[in-house]
Amino acid sequence: MEGLIQPRGILSLPAKPIGARTLLLPPSPALKQRLFTRNLPPLSISSNGHTKFPSFQQNPLRISISHKERNRGFICKAEAAAAAAGEGDSVTPNIFGVEVTTLKKIIPLGLMFFCILFNYTILRDTKDVLVVTAKGSSAEIIPFLKTWVNLPMAIGFMLLYTKLSNVLSKKALFYTVIIPFIVYFGAFGFVMYPLSNMIHPEALADKLLATLGPRFMGPLAILRIWSFCLFYVMAELWGSVVVSVLFWGFANQITTVDEAKKFYPLFGLGANVALIFSGRTVKYFSNMRKNLGPGVDGWAVSLKAMMSIVVGMGLAICFLYWWVNRYVPLPTRSKKKKVKPQMGMMESLKFLVSSPYIRDLATLVVAYGISINLVEVTWKSKLKAQFPSPNEYSAFMGDFSTCTGIATFTMMLLSQYVFNKYGWGVAAKITPTVLLLTGVAFFSLILFGGPFAPLVAKLGMTPLLAAVYVGALQNIFSKSAKYSLFDPCKEMAYIPLDEDTKVKGKAAIDVVCNPLGKSGGALIQQFMILTFGSLASSTPYLGVILLGIVTAWLAAAKSLEGQFNTLMSEEELEKEMERAASLKIPVVSSEEAASGESTSQLPETSSPTSI
């Protein structure tokens, strides 16, 4: 007996199929629209073994579709077309493939970053000029200044910043932090430096120096030129607070992850462009003394001009921050917060010792911090001997900053080729190799200047000037290699680790290794100065220490390379196994395959063509 389910007025199908049709055409788009946009009633099913659903047989009597149903189909297609047109109209306008809303964030952020780093280069070069070339001071003050003044003030500032962040809004916190910097640098150039002879206790410092001896000249110089030391600390804080905390915190607040992936690398290139331009600016204002009359303090004039630029750039930063908050919509964020592991000092040390991989990575970080510090301070002491005038010292530092920017920009462009061509291991060894070769050349010129004198004389230089140039090249290439290769290698080393080791290892290195690397070199130099009386007397021992540290650095890099490659190979193998497991390939016999083919041909003989 044949059962028939009657449709509700849309389709009327016969109970039995017509003869077999070999031609099978796909359903038309109009039929798909009507079938999937509204609920259709059940279709007729015959009892001859052939199912009529989901294919439809051509009806010689033609399928009856009322005018009402046809109009509904047209309405569905019209609504779909209107929706598509509406979506096209709502597309956000873009320029060069970038949405205008994104450009309204990225361009001001890029300008802010340029201004911040432009100021930082001027402040960094100026702080060294002030504390190294000041009367009664030298480069020996820097290790004591970093350890006993800079570090405590940085800790105090971060505690104050944490408390302010709990009571102030983000906008108020930004202005509260950056405006005192702007006011201080303006006041230093126009008020504090002109009055430095009156506010510095030079008589007291001379009395203490006569009592304690010349080996305490570095610590006593902090008291002697306290306002210059305060400028040094404020300049250092500008780099850590305004760049790391304020700018990157604001950038992460207003950008999405996709925007960050696309534009954050460009900020790194823009940073080196700012370095180049600010270096030329320092060089220009440092040479102003040549056009001034006799009796005029050329460095005071240059300092006022550079601090005026710093204040102007600071006000531009505030304006850009206000404009972005005023006219740019902020992206929506998830309210769920990630829980970051809080590791204390002892827990971090235990974790560092327990993992060979993390221990090697920590060695890289600490070795860089110590070695660059050992060479840099020694180089600055020779730089003062060659350029005792503040204007000459500052002009040289301007050229140094420009060359550093050019070298880093070039190395960043080449770093991708190095990683692709030679791999992680070679890239990780470039920085210590460069530092070792240039460090050996630098200390050789200092310790064995006599034998090299005839050779460098042919080049029109003295051994001291040659040491200054070699030390400058050492700093330029070491820093450019650090920014373009060492930092990416360090971050890439975390990738193959499991999540627990990755998070805890990074926390341990941030807590222990970064401060140890920065202060380790300063502590070594303080011990040498207090033991041997001066930095020059301890130079041979510093050279030996540098050689040992860089050798340990290279050994750790080689060990880490093997572990890194092993973990990456294991990770690739696991991915291949997971990929193979996800592919389910059925194994069938030839008889089953033949029967499958005959079965697959059956609907073709019984299925009708589309309407």
Side-chain angles (χ1 to χ4, degrees), residues 411-485:
M411 287 292 292
M412 282 187 171
L413 297 178
L414 295 176
S415 60
Q416 187 67 33
Y417 171 79
V418 174
F419 279 110
N420 293 335
K421 180 71 175 178
Y422 301 104
W424 186 92
V426 173
K429 295 173 186 174
I430 288 178
T431 304
T433 303
V434 169
L435 203 149
L436 177 62
L437 296 178
T438 55
V440 168
F442 173 69
F443 280 102
S444 297
L445 285 171
I446 295 176
L447 298 176
F448 311 105
F452 287 103
L455 178 62
V456 297
K458 294 180 180 180
L459 301 176
M461 295 184 295
T462 63
L464 177 61
L465 183 59
V468 168
Y469 285 150
V470 172
L473 291 175
Q474 189 274 334
N475 277 271
I476 290 170
F477 289 123
S478 298
K479 290 183 177 180
S480 61
K482 191 257 185 186
Y483 297 142
S484 58
L485 295 173

Side-chain angles (χ1 to χ4, degrees), residues 75-90:
I75 292 172
C76 290
K77 289 187 286 184
E79 289 175 350
E87 291 176 358
D89 295 340
S90 63

Side-chain angles (χ1 to χ4, degrees), residues 95-96 98-115 247 250 254-255 263 266-267 320-321 323-324 328:
I95 300 175
F96 300 114
V98 182
E99 294 183 0
V100 174
T101 305
T102 301
L103 289 177
K104 289 172 68 176
K105 292 186 287 187
I106 298 303
I107 293 177
L109 279 178
L111 293 175
M112 284 181 65
F113 199 46
F114 180 89
C115 293
F247 173 78
F250 180 56
I254 69 172
T255 56
F263 295 103
L266 298 180
F267 288 164
L320 291 168
Y321 179 82
W323 190 91
V324 171
V328 178

